[in-house]
Amino acid sequence: MNKLLILCGIPFSGKSTLAKAISNKLGYKRVDLDEVKFELYGNNIKDEDLKQKDWDVIYQKMCQIIENLLKQGETVVHDAGNFTKYERGLVCQIADKLGIETKTIFVDVPKNIAYERLMQNRKTKARFDVTDKDFESTVAEMEPPAENENVITFKVSDNVDSWINEHLN
């Protein structure tokens, strides 16, 4: 049975790293919000340059991709912040409509560790930057998932391969 895995956590918590590891190890399809954003608006677009109507287009396209993959029988790893229950609920609606199970993966990393990663990224430029203001507002907005969201938690101390084997195989 295919399913929808919904990642959530603050910026630089390791969501994309975990999502890539899950996809590579299990062959699941990863749908990354940032990749959809860059596909639509170019690699140099900054979040603060996007208006609400732009975000609506990005989310609509992302949801369309997720729905198409689920309809094809694929298990999908939704790689996005999903900071609020509302955001996670929008994606869950797709799976619910298709009768497909969802699991919410909460990447639970302390703010100070995520911030250290952000600072390191500013030196290495391994991925796009997030402003301090956006980082802080996202941390403030983060709503950890509730039990009724079929949640499993990944902690910073967890070994990725062992965690995948234990929770997703």
Side-chain angles (χ1 to χ4, degrees):
M1 284 286 299
N2 64 328
K3 57 187 160 265
L4 174 61
L5 305 176
I6 303 168
L7 277 85
C8 67
I10 63 175
F12 290 89
S13 59
K15 296 178 301 294
S16 291
T17 300
L18 180 60
K20 288 173 186 174
I22 293 167
S23 294
N24 290 337
K25 185 172 179 91
L26 302 177
Y28 297 164
K29 301 295 182 186
R30 184 170 73 75
V31 178
D32 182 315
L33 174 71
D34 292 321
E35 289 175 9
V36 173
K37 173 181 68 178
F38 295 138
E39 177 186 318
L40 290 171
Y41 295 97
N43 289 336
N44 295 322
I45 192 70
K46 293 185 179 356
D47 287 358
E48 57 267 20
D49 295 335
L50 295 167
K51 308 236 182 310
Q52 185 58 51
K53 66 180 179 60
D54 302 319
W55 283 111
D56 292 345
V57 169
I58 293 165
Y59 273 85
Q60 185 177 43
K61 173 77 172 176
M62 181 190 63
C63 288
Q64 179 184 33
I65 293 167
I66 291 170
E67 183 171 349
N68 289 343
L69 287 168
L70 291 172
K71 283 180 177 177
Q72 294 168 21
E74 299 286 352
T75 289
V76 175
V77 180
H78 181 226
D79 184 4
N82 291 307
F83 311 117
T84 66
K85 185 171 181 152
Y86 175 78
E87 288 174 295
R88 295 187 296 271
L90 290 176
V91 181
C92 281
Q93 288 177 3
I94 299 166
D96 290 348
K97 179 173 73 171
L98 299 172
I100 293 172
E101 176 190 6
T102 61
K103 283 189 186 270
T104 302
I105 300 172
F106 178 37
V107 183
D108 187 12
V109 172
K111 175 184 172 183
N112 66 314
I113 292 175
Y115 191 75
E116 286 172 17
R117 293 175 179 174
L118 170 60
M119 293 298 100
Q120 185 62 31
N121 182 69
R122 288 189 179 155
K123 293 176 187 168
T124 64
K125 300 191 186 319
R127 59 167 278 204
F128 69 93
D129 192 25
V130 174
T131 66
D132 284 352
K133 180 181 174 191
D134 283 348
F135 180 85
E136 291 297 334
S137 69
T138 300
V139 169
E141 185 181 355
M142 181 70 210
E143 296 173 355
E147 285 296 317
N148 67 351
E149 292 182 75
N150 195 16
V151 63
I152 50 180
T153 301
F154 179 87
K155 295 199 172 283
V156 71
S157 59
D158 289 332
N159 174 279
V160 174
D161 284 334
S162 299
W163 187 90
I164 292 170
N165 288 337
E166 181 180 339
H167 294 282
L168 298 178
N169 270 339

